[in-house]
Short mmCIF file of all heavy atoms in Angstrom, two decimals:
data_model
loop_
_atom_site.label_atom_id
_atom_site.label_comp_id
_atom_site.label_asym_id
_atom_site.label_seq_id
_atom_site.Cartn_x
_atom_site.Cartn_y
_atom_site.Cartn_z
N GLN W 485 -20.69 -13.00 12.47
CA GLN W 485 -19.93 -13.11 13.75
C GLN W 485 -19.25 -11.77 14.15
O GLN W 485 -18.51 -11.76 15.02
CB GLN W 485 -18.94 -14.25 13.69
CG GLN W 485 -19.54 -15.54 13.39
CD GLN W 485 -20.54 -16.00 14.48
OE1 GLN W 485 -20.37 -16.06 15.60
NE2 GLN W 485 -21.82 -16.18 14.02
N GLY W 486 -19.50 -10.74 13.33
CA GLY W 486 -18.91 -9.37 13.68
C GLY W 486 -17.56 -9.24 13.17
O GLY W 486 -16.79 -8.35 13.68
N ILE W 487 -17.14 -10.07 12.17
CA ILE W 487 -15.72 -9.93 11.69
C ILE W 487 -15.84 -9.54 10.23
O ILE W 487 -16.47 -10.05 9.41
CB ILE W 487 -15.00 -11.28 11.76
CG1 ILE W 487 -14.93 -11.76 13.20
CG2 ILE W 487 -13.54 -11.12 11.27
CD1 ILE W 487 -14.40 -13.21 13.42
N ILE W 488 -15.10 -8.42 9.90
CA ILE W 488 -15.06 -7.90 8.50
C ILE W 488 -13.70 -8.17 7.88
O ILE W 488 -12.67 -7.70 8.45
CB ILE W 488 -15.40 -6.48 8.48
CG1 ILE W 488 -16.73 -6.13 9.18
CG2 ILE W 488 -15.45 -5.96 7.03
CD1 ILE W 488 -17.08 -4.65 9.14
N VAL W 489 -13.67 -8.95 6.84
CA VAL W 489 -12.40 -9.18 6.13
C VAL W 489 -12.63 -8.56 4.73
O VAL W 489 -13.68 -8.01 4.50
CB VAL W 489 -12.02 -10.61 6.02
CG1 VAL W 489 -11.71 -11.14 7.50
CG2 VAL W 489 -12.95 -11.48 5.35
N ARG W 490 -11.68 -8.78 3.81
CA ARG W 490 -11.79 -8.10 2.55
C ARG W 490 -12.01 -9.12 1.38
O ARG W 490 -11.14 -9.94 1.19
CB ARG W 490 -10.51 -7.28 2.25
CG ARG W 490 -10.56 -6.51 1.03
CD ARG W 490 -11.53 -5.40 1.13
NE ARG W 490 -11.53 -4.48 -0.12
CZ ARG W 490 -10.82 -3.41 -0.23
NH1 ARG W 490 -10.05 -3.00 0.78
NH2 ARG W 490 -10.75 -2.79 -1.37
N ARG W 491 -13.11 -8.94 0.64
CA ARG W 491 -13.26 -9.75 -0.59
C ARG W 491 -12.31 -9.10 -1.63
O ARG W 491 -12.24 -7.88 -1.73
CB ARG W 491 -14.67 -9.67 -1.06
CG ARG W 491 -15.60 -10.47 -0.25
CD ARG W 491 -16.97 -10.61 -0.95
NE ARG W 491 -17.96 -11.15 0.03
CZ ARG W 491 -19.18 -11.59 -0.33
NH1 ARG W 491 -19.58 -11.42 -1.62
NH2 ARG W 491 -19.94 -12.15 0.56
N VAL W 492 -11.77 -9.99 -2.43
CA VAL W 492 -10.73 -9.51 -3.47
C VAL W 492 -11.09 -9.96 -4.83
O VAL W 492 -10.23 -10.12 -5.66
CB VAL W 492 -9.27 -9.75 -3.04
CG1 VAL W 492 -8.85 -8.88 -1.84
CG2 VAL W 492 -9.21 -11.30 -2.60
N ALA W 493 -12.36 -10.20 -5.13
CA ALA W 493 -12.78 -10.67 -6.42
C ALA W 493 -12.37 -9.54 -7.48
O ALA W 493 -11.98 -9.81 -8.63
CB ALA W 493 -14.29 -10.87 -6.49
N GLY W 494 -12.46 -8.28 -7.00
CA GLY W 494 -12.03 -7.19 -7.95
C GLY W 494 -10.57 -7.14 -8.26
O GLY W 494 -10.16 -6.50 -9.17
N TYR W 495 -9.77 -7.96 -7.51
CA TYR W 495 -8.38 -8.08 -7.83
C TYR W 495 -8.08 -9.48 -8.56
O TYR W 495 -6.97 -9.98 -8.47
CB TYR W 495 -7.56 -8.05 -6.56
CG TYR W 495 -7.44 -6.64 -5.91
CD1 TYR W 495 -8.28 -6.16 -4.96
CD2 TYR W 495 -6.49 -5.79 -6.41
CE1 TYR W 495 -8.25 -4.89 -4.48
CE2 TYR W 495 -6.31 -4.48 -5.88
CZ TYR W 495 -7.19 -4.05 -4.93
OH TYR W 495 -7.10 -2.78 -4.46
N LYS W 496 -9.17 -10.01 -9.09
CA LYS W 496 -9.07 -11.26 -9.82
C LYS W 496 -8.75 -12.40 -8.89
O LYS W 496 -7.91 -13.32 -9.32
CB LYS W 496 -8.08 -11.17 -10.99
CG LYS W 496 -8.49 -9.99 -11.93
CD LYS W 496 -7.93 -10.14 -13.37
CE LYS W 496 -8.81 -9.34 -14.17
NZ LYS W 496 -8.09 -8.58 -15.22
N LEU W 497 -9.16 -12.34 -7.64
CA LEU W 497 -8.91 -13.43 -6.73
C LEU W 497 -10.22 -13.78 -5.99
O LEU W 497 -10.43 -13.59 -4.86
CB LEU W 497 -7.89 -12.89 -5.76
CG LEU W 497 -6.42 -12.71 -6.23
CD1 LEU W 497 -5.63 -11.84 -5.31
CD2 LEU W 497 -5.83 -14.07 -6.45
N PRO W 498 -11.19 -14.27 -6.86
CA PRO W 498 -12.56 -14.44 -6.37
C PRO W 498 -12.73 -15.54 -5.26
O PRO W 498 -13.60 -15.47 -4.44
CB PRO W 498 -13.40 -14.96 -7.62
CG PRO W 498 -12.34 -15.38 -8.61
CD PRO W 498 -11.10 -14.54 -8.32
N ALA W 499 -11.73 -16.48 -5.29
CA ALA W 499 -11.81 -17.56 -4.28
C ALA W 499 -11.02 -17.23 -3.03
O ALA W 499 -10.77 -18.16 -2.22
CB ALA W 499 -11.46 -18.90 -4.90
N ALA W 500 -10.61 -15.95 -2.88
CA ALA W 500 -9.78 -15.62 -1.69
C ALA W 500 -10.44 -14.59 -0.85
O ALA W 500 -11.32 -13.80 -1.30
CB ALA W 500 -8.42 -15.18 -2.20
N LEU W 501 -9.89 -14.43 0.40
CA LEU W 501 -10.26 -13.37 1.22
C LEU W 501 -9.04 -12.80 1.90
O LEU W 501 -8.15 -13.61 2.35
CB LEU W 501 -11.22 -13.81 2.45
CG LEU W 501 -12.62 -14.39 2.03
CD1 LEU W 501 -13.33 -14.92 3.27
CD2 LEU W 501 -13.43 -13.30 1.31
N ARG W 502 -8.92 -11.44 1.88
CA ARG W 502 -7.68 -10.90 2.46
C ARG W 502 -7.97 -10.56 3.96
O ARG W 502 -9.01 -9.82 4.30
CB ARG W 502 -7.28 -9.60 1.73
CG ARG W 502 -5.93 -9.19 2.12
CD ARG W 502 -5.68 -7.79 1.57
NE ARG W 502 -6.50 -6.74 2.20
CZ ARG W 502 -6.65 -5.58 1.87
NH1 ARG W 502 -6.02 -5.10 0.75
NH2 ARG W 502 -7.47 -4.70 2.52
N ILE W 503 -7.11 -11.06 4.82
CA ILE W 503 -7.48 -10.90 6.31
C ILE W 503 -6.31 -10.09 6.93
O ILE W 503 -5.09 -10.55 6.87
CB ILE W 503 -7.67 -12.21 7.00
CG1 ILE W 503 -8.65 -13.09 6.19
CG2 ILE W 503 -7.89 -12.07 8.44
CD1 ILE W 503 -8.74 -14.48 6.79
N THR W 504 -6.53 -8.88 7.44
CA THR W 504 -5.48 -8.16 8.14
C THR W 504 -5.07 -8.76 9.36
O THR W 504 -5.96 -9.42 10.12
CB THR W 504 -6.00 -6.72 8.43
OG1 THR W 504 -6.46 -6.07 7.25
CG2 THR W 504 -4.93 -5.86 9.07
N VAL W 505 -3.75 -8.77 9.68
CA VAL W 505 -3.33 -9.31 10.99
C VAL W 505 -3.71 -8.37 12.07
O VAL W 505 -3.23 -7.24 12.13
CB VAL W 505 -1.79 -9.53 10.93
CG1 VAL W 505 -1.29 -10.07 12.30
CG2 VAL W 505 -1.39 -10.53 9.80
N GLY W 506 -4.68 -8.72 12.94
CA GLY W 506 -5.14 -7.78 13.93
C GLY W 506 -4.34 -8.04 15.29
O GLY W 506 -3.23 -8.64 15.22
N ASP W 507 -4.91 -7.70 16.37
CA ASP W 507 -4.10 -8.03 17.66
C ASP W 507 -4.44 -9.51 17.94
O ASP W 507 -5.14 -10.15 17.20
CB ASP W 507 -4.68 -7.14 18.80
CG ASP W 507 -6.18 -7.20 19.01
OD1 ASP W 507 -6.82 -8.21 18.52
OD2 ASP W 507 -6.71 -6.29 19.75
N GLU W 508 -3.84 -9.96 19.07
CA GLU W 508 -3.86 -11.44 19.32
C GLU W 508 -5.32 -11.92 19.42
O GLU W 508 -5.72 -12.93 18.85
CB GLU W 508 -3.11 -11.80 20.51
CG GLU W 508 -3.12 -13.21 20.79
CD GLU W 508 -1.91 -13.74 21.53
OE1 GLU W 508 -0.93 -12.98 21.76
OE2 GLU W 508 -1.92 -14.95 21.93
N ALA W 509 -6.18 -11.21 20.10
CA ALA W 509 -7.60 -11.69 20.33
C ALA W 509 -8.33 -11.69 19.00
O ALA W 509 -9.07 -12.70 18.71
CB ALA W 509 -8.33 -10.64 21.25
N SER W 510 -8.12 -10.70 18.04
CA SER W 510 -8.76 -10.75 16.81
C SER W 510 -8.27 -11.85 15.93
O SER W 510 -9.03 -12.57 15.15
CB SER W 510 -8.49 -9.43 16.03
OG SER W 510 -8.81 -8.34 16.82
N CYS W 511 -6.96 -12.15 15.95
CA CYS W 511 -6.41 -13.28 15.16
C CYS W 511 -7.01 -14.63 15.69
O CYS W 511 -7.41 -15.45 14.86
CB CYS W 511 -4.90 -13.38 15.26
SG CYS W 511 -4.03 -12.04 14.38
N ARG W 512 -7.05 -14.77 16.98
CA ARG W 512 -7.66 -15.95 17.48
C ARG W 512 -9.16 -16.05 17.07
O ARG W 512 -9.60 -17.17 16.67
CB ARG W 512 -7.52 -15.99 19.03
CG ARG W 512 -6.16 -16.27 19.47
CD ARG W 512 -5.97 -16.41 21.00
NE ARG W 512 -4.67 -16.64 21.35
CZ ARG W 512 -3.97 -17.76 21.26
NH1 ARG W 512 -4.63 -18.88 20.86
NH2 ARG W 512 -2.70 -17.86 21.58
N ARG W 513 -9.89 -14.96 17.12
CA ARG W 513 -11.25 -15.06 16.87
C ARG W 513 -11.57 -15.36 15.44
O ARG W 513 -12.38 -16.18 15.11
CB ARG W 513 -11.88 -13.65 17.27
CG ARG W 513 -13.34 -13.52 17.03
CD ARG W 513 -14.18 -13.64 18.24
NE ARG W 513 -15.54 -13.54 17.89
CZ ARG W 513 -16.36 -14.61 17.88
NH1 ARG W 513 -16.02 -15.75 18.19
NH2 ARG W 513 -17.66 -14.42 17.43
N VAL W 514 -10.83 -14.70 14.49
CA VAL W 514 -11.11 -14.95 13.10
C VAL W 514 -10.66 -16.41 12.73
O VAL W 514 -11.41 -17.04 11.97
CB VAL W 514 -10.40 -13.92 12.14
CG1 VAL W 514 -8.90 -14.06 12.10
CG2 VAL W 514 -10.98 -13.94 10.71
N ALA W 515 -9.57 -16.91 13.29
CA ALA W 515 -9.16 -18.29 12.99
C ALA W 515 -10.18 -19.22 13.53
O ALA W 515 -10.56 -20.26 12.89
CB ALA W 515 -7.79 -18.53 13.60
N HIS W 516 -10.67 -19.02 14.71
CA HIS W 516 -11.73 -19.84 15.34
C HIS W 516 -12.96 -19.93 14.44
O HIS W 516 -13.43 -21.03 14.14
CB HIS W 516 -11.99 -19.29 16.76
CG HIS W 516 -13.10 -20.01 17.41
ND1 HIS W 516 -12.92 -21.35 18.03
CD2 HIS W 516 -14.40 -19.72 17.79
CE1 HIS W 516 -14.05 -21.69 18.52
NE2 HIS W 516 -14.96 -20.81 18.40
N CYS W 517 -13.46 -18.74 13.98
CA CYS W 517 -14.66 -18.68 13.26
C CYS W 517 -14.46 -19.34 11.88
O CYS W 517 -15.34 -20.05 11.39
CB CYS W 517 -15.12 -17.23 13.06
SG CYS W 517 -15.79 -16.57 14.58
N ILE W 518 -13.30 -19.16 11.36
CA ILE W 518 -13.08 -19.93 10.02
C ILE W 518 -13.00 -21.43 10.27
O ILE W 518 -13.48 -22.20 9.41
CB ILE W 518 -11.73 -19.34 9.32
CG1 ILE W 518 -12.04 -17.94 8.84
CG2 ILE W 518 -11.30 -20.27 8.20
CD1 ILE W 518 -10.86 -17.18 8.22
N GLY W 519 -12.49 -21.76 11.35
CA GLY W 519 -12.42 -23.21 11.74
C GLY W 519 -13.90 -23.80 11.82
O GLY W 519 -14.19 -24.89 11.29
N LEU W 520 -14.69 -23.00 12.47
CA LEU W 520 -16.18 -23.42 12.63
C LEU W 520 -16.79 -23.53 11.32
O LEU W 520 -17.55 -24.41 10.95
CB LEU W 520 -16.88 -22.48 13.53
CG LEU W 520 -16.58 -22.46 15.01
CD1 LEU W 520 -17.47 -21.38 15.67
CD2 LEU W 520 -16.80 -23.80 15.61
N PHE W 521 -16.57 -22.48 10.46
CA PHE W 521 -17.10 -22.49 9.08
C PHE W 521 -16.69 -23.67 8.28
O PHE W 521 -17.53 -24.35 7.67
CB PHE W 521 -16.70 -21.18 8.29
CG PHE W 521 -17.01 -21.24 6.93
CD1 PHE W 521 -18.32 -20.88 6.50
CD2 PHE W 521 -16.15 -21.58 5.93
CE1 PHE W 521 -18.66 -20.91 5.13
CE2 PHE W 521 -16.53 -21.64 4.60
CZ PHE W 521 -17.75 -21.30 4.18
N LYS W 522 -15.37 -24.04 8.34
CA LYS W 522 -14.90 -25.18 7.58
C LYS W 522 -15.45 -26.49 8.06
O LYS W 522 -15.52 -27.39 7.34
CB LYS W 522 -13.31 -25.21 7.60
CG LYS W 522 -12.67 -24.14 6.68
CD LYS W 522 -12.94 -24.27 5.23
CE LYS W 522 -11.89 -24.98 4.46
NZ LYS W 522 -12.03 -24.90 2.97
#
Side-chain angles (χ1 to χ4, degrees):
Q485 300 303 302
I487 302 171
I488 305 181
V489 301
R490 184 69 178 264
R491 286 194 191 186
V492 284
Y495 286 93
K496 305 204 160 137
L497 294 161
L501 296 174
R502 192 192 67 191
I503 307 172
T504 302
V505 177
D507 60 13
E508 182 152 352
S510 307
C511 287
R512 287 186 183 278
R513 179 104 182 104
V514 72
H516 175 72
C517 289
I518 290 176
L520 291 179
F521 171 81
K522 285 296 262 191

